[in-house]
Amino acid sequence: MRLGFLHRKKGDQHEGAPSSEPGRSQGEATGPSVPFDGLTEEWRLAGRMHVEGRLSDALNKREPIEISDVSWAPIDGSRGLEPAPGLRSIDPYDLIAVLAGPETIAYSEPERLAHRVRKVPYEVGLEVPPYRVIG
């Protein structure tokens, strides 16, 4: 597997080790979260990303992002989604495409007004090798 998101960093505790906070497992993500579907070269991931502000801003920072409630499956569709409890963060460099809902967009009031006035639906085809996203 090319992705290194199951590798532990120095100082990480082993699973099942006592947590620093009562009632919370070690490494459990906190704070606001948004649902996502992500594609890598080999995997499809589905879960929640814990980000402050806009998801697009967090992805562009190129810093690891906390994730929780993650399921994964091979990209070829040979198996269905299975829980992946060991996944706690992901490097945005590993993601080829991220699909998320409208709750990931935070507009200022002027942006919201401009979007409402100029909102025109149209078909989109996006090439993100090895994928093609159409919608």
Side-chain angles (χ1 to χ4, degrees):
M1 173 184 354
R2 177 177 125 359
L3 304 176
F5 42 61
L6 289 178
H7 295 259
R8 297 191 192 281
K9 295 182 178 108
K10 281 187 176 181
D12 279 357
Q13 293 183 346
H14 295 287
E15 288 218 5
S19 170
S20 57
E21 295 180 39
R24 182 173 176 238
S25 65
Q26 181 67 26
E28 184 178 312
T30 60
S33 67
V34 293
F36 80 98
D37 257 300
L39 304 176
T40 70
E41 287 183 14
E42 300 172 2
W43 300 97
R44 173 180 172 220
L45 304 171
R48 301 193 70 80
M49 283 190 179
H50 296 263
V51 296
E52 293 287 335
R54 293 168 56 158
L55 178 59
S56 60
D57 293 341
L59 291 169
N60 285 323
K61 285 182 184 175
R62 303 294 192 185
E63 296 174 0
I65 297 173
E66 282 189 85
I67 55 177
S68 64
D69 303 324
V70 181
S71 297
W72 65 352
I75 200 66
D76 63 7
S78 61
R79 291 193 320 252
L81 287 169
E82 299 172 357
L87 290 168
R88 295 188 180 125
S89 68
I90 189 161
D91 183 342
Y93 277 101
D94 289 334
L95 295 167
I96 294 172
V98 176
L99 310 170
E103 63 274 7
T104 64
I105 301 172
Y107 288 121
S108 66
E109 192 56 34
E111 288 172 326
R112 188 181 319 279
L113 291 172
H115 184 70
R116 205 174 324 154
V117 170
R118 295 177 180 87
K119 185 175 182 179
V120 178
Y122 53 91
E123 291 293 316
V124 174
L126 178 62
E127 296 285 338
V128 285
Y131 308 109
R132 180 159 194 223
V133 180
I134 301 171

